């Protein structure tokens, strides 16, 4: 968990001491160094005869109640294909996914591997990377939410010279609900959120560049290797303003974001208990304690209805 005083990535209070000023200078130099390296290494980009412009890879367990909405929503904003890995589900996921698999929208892989999330991403990379221009390693409680446009590929294609783009989480809690209403969509029920972006999020990955490290947390911070002057350099993600995200995290912005990831991380309290029981796809011991829950829930000081602009169309698709 992030330090309690540093959870908000932007608009933090800053102590403008000598140490901070040195970090600003080093951060500035690193950003322009990465730009220079990418310019000279642009010939290392790989080209594929791809099927898709934008895809999603996800692992899931016992999420049959939510997966239809999640697929239809992302299909609606321009995601062309889904690579889904079933990780020990015991619900009716097969019947829910059947029409999507038969239509060719979903590639379903059975993945009975404990803590199988990172291995599933590596499997996707080795088997499906060349089918798409861009991919996002997303969870089923996360929704990519453009704030102005309505097509995710139209948004991301202006970053084709960069390996990865990071989008930040807008965290949503229970909205005061003890029980999830199965008759309503997730995106409809949960609107109470953190008032600022979290310091984590998800990555849009440009498959023209390589990934060589499949490790814990890589879906939040993919680094792509290039060879510069005979040495391997790991290129970090940029944010949407084309600023590289260095280890110093000097990322003040003066413009508004145009996209976010809505992270419905808990949903209602009974959903959180269900998540506790089913375990975690990354950790042997789930971090989802009640202390962890209340800490996140206590940060819900705002509301965010941005995704509501898609809601009527989504409901219409869902009811067909």
């Amino acid at each position: 968990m992030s330090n309690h005083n540093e959870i908000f990535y932007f608009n933090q209070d800053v102590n403008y001491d000598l140490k901070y000023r040195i970090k600003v200078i080093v951060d500035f130099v690193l950003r322009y160094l990465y730009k220079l390296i990418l310019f000279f290494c642009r010939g290392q980009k790989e080209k594929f005869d791809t099927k898709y412009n934008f895809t999603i890879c996800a692992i899931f367990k016992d999420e049959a109640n939510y997966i239809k909405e999640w697929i239809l929503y992302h299909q609606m904003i321009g995601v062309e294909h889904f690579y889904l890995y079933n990780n020990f589900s015991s619900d009716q996921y097969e019947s829910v996914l059947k029409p999507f698999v038969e239509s060719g929208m979903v590639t379903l892989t059975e993945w009975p591997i404990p803590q199988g999330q990172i291995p599933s991403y590596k499997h996707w990379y080795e088997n499906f990377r060349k089918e798409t221009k861009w991919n996002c390693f997303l969870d089923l409680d996360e929704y990519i939410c453009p704030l102005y446009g309505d097509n995710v590929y139209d948004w991301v294609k202006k970053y084709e010279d960069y390996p990865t783009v990071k989008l930040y989480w807008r965290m949503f809690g229970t909205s005061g609900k003890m029980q999830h209403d199965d008759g309503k969509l997730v995106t409809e029920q949960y609107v109470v959120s953190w008032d600022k972006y979290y310091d984590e999020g998800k990555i849009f990955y440009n498959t023209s560049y390589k990934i060589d490290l499949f490790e814990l947390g890589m879906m939040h911070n993919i680094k792509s290797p290039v060879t510069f002057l005979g040495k391997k350099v790991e290129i970090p993600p940029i944010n949407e303003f084309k600023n590289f995200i260095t280890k110093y995290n000097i990322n003040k912005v003066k413009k508004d974001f145009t996209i976010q990831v809505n992270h419905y991380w808990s949903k209602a309290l009974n959903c959180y208990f269900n998540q506790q029981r089913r375990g975690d796809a990354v950790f042997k011991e789930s971090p989802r304690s009640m202390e962890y829950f209340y800490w996140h829930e206590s940060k819900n000081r705002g509301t965010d209805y941005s995704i509501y602009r898609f809601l009527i169309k989504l409901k219409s698709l869902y009811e067909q």
Side-chain angles (χ1 to χ4, degrees):
M1 185 184 298
S2 301
N3 183 291
H4 289 201
N5 295 320
E6 298 178 352
I7 57 171
F8 299 125
Y9 201 72
F10 297 95
N11 304 319
Q12 298 180 42
D13 293 330
V14 174
N15 180 13
Y16 291 95
D17 56 9
L18 179 60
K19 184 177 180 181
Y20 178 79
R21 294 177 189 277
I22 292 173
K23 286 183 177 180
V24 170
I25 294 172
V26 175
D27 179 80
F28 178 84
V29 171
L30 283 175
R31 289 185 186 186
Y32 280 90
L33 180 60
Y34 287 132
K35 287 184 179 181
L36 184 67
I37 291 172
L38 272 185
F39 176 78
F40 284 107
C41 295
R42 61 191 185 278
Q44 297 178 29
K45 292 175 63 177
E46 299 182 81
K47 295 182 179 179
F48 312 118
D49 185 15
T50 59
K51 297 180 183 179
Y52 312 112
N53 290 319
F54 196 100
T55 60
I56 286 175
C57 173
I59 189 171
F60 68 92
K61 180 180 180 180
D62 292 337
E63 299 192 70
N65 289 343
Y66 316 116
I67 198 167
K68 179 180 177 181
E69 175 188 359
W70 182 84
I71 291 173
L72 288 175
Y73 170 81
H74 286 102
Q75 184 181 2
M76 187 176 65
I77 63 165
V79 176
E80 295 173 329
H81 196 77
F82 301 83
Y83 301 93
L84 301 183
Y85 289 78
N86 171 47
N87 195 220
F88 301 106
S89 292
S90 58
D91 57 12
Q92 302 301 313
Y93 75 96
E94 290 177 299
S95 61
V96 176
L97 288 178
K98 183 178 179 180
F100 298 107
V101 173
E102 291 179 345
S103 71
M105 178 61 60
V106 167
T107 296
L108 178 62
T109 301
E110 296 297 325
W111 199 248
I113 298 175
Q115 288 74 56
Q117 185 168 16
I118 304 304
S120 74
Y121 296 162
K122 186 175 182 181
H123 180 272
W124 173 87
Y125 180 84
E126 293 172 346
N127 291 274
F128 303 117
R129 168 197 173 203
K130 296 180 181 180
E131 293 186 351
T132 184
K133 292 180 180 178
W134 289 88
N135 183 72
C136 183
F137 298 106
L138 206 66
D139 295 336
L140 267 71
D141 59 2
E142 297 170 325
Y143 286 68
I144 301 166
C145 182
L147 302 178
Y148 298 98
D150 59 5
N151 185 283
V152 69
Y153 178 64
D154 287 344
W155 184 92
V156 78
K157 62 186 178 183
K158 59 182 173 288
Y159 301 101
E160 63 181 13
D161 292 330
Y162 297 88
T164 51
V165 186
K166 187 167 187 174
L167 281 61
Y168 291 95
W169 274 338
R170 176 70 75 187
M171 300 290 288
F172 291 80
T174 65
S175 288
K177 295 179 179 292
M178 299 292 287
Q179 298 287 326
H180 179 79
D181 186 344
D182 290 330
K184 293 183 178 180
L185 301 178
V186 169
T187 48
E188 179 182 14
Q189 291 189 63
Y190 303 102
V191 298
V192 181
S193 67
W194 289 19
D195 54 348
K196 296 181 182 179
Y197 288 114
Y198 200 3
D199 62 353
E200 278 297 359
K202 285 298 174 75
I203 299 292
F204 286 179
Y205 162 57
N206 182 346
T207 63
S208 296
Y209 293 89
K210 296 180 180 179
I211 301 174
D212 62 355
L213 293 175
F214 289 84
E215 57 186 357
L216 185 66
M218 54 84 66
M219 57 281 198
H220 306 298
N221 192 35
I222 296 173
K223 296 181 180 179
S224 297
V226 296
T227 301
F228 182 68
L229 300 179
K231 296 183 180 293
K232 185 176 77 170
V233 179
E234 299 281 356
I235 305 296
I238 58 170
N239 64 25
E240 73 165 271
F241 307 107
K242 298 185 178 180
N243 292 325
F244 285 98
I245 302 169
T246 75
K247 64 181 180 179
Y248 298 106
N249 292 339
I250 309 298
N251 278 284
K252 296 287 184 177
V253 295
K254 296 181 179 179
K255 299 180 180 179
D256 292 332
F257 286 91
T258 63
I259 197 168
Q260 64 190 33
V261 176
N262 285 16
H263 191 189
Y264 301 99
W265 84 280
S266 69
K267 297 187 278 293
L269 185 60
N270 73 308
C271 297
Y272 186 77
F273 290 150
N274 290 336
Q275 292 169 349
Q276 284 181 318
R277 285 191 291 269
R278 74 179 184 228
D280 194 270
V282 176
F283 303 103
K284 289 185 178 180
E285 297 293 330
S286 175
R288 291 178 178 269
S289 65
M290 289 310 296
E291 179 184 7
Y292 187 80
F293 168 80
Y294 285 125
W295 183 83
H296 283 76
E297 185 78 354
S298 70
K299 305 298 180 285
N300 292 315
R301 292 184 285 256
T303 54
D304 189 317
Y305 289 88
S306 300
I307 207 166
Y308 264 47
R309 70 195 190 94
F310 299 109
L311 198 54
I312 292 298
K313 186 175 181 181
L314 178 58
K315 285 182 176 181
S316 298
L317 291 171
Y318 193 89
E319 293 170 1
Q320 289 179 5

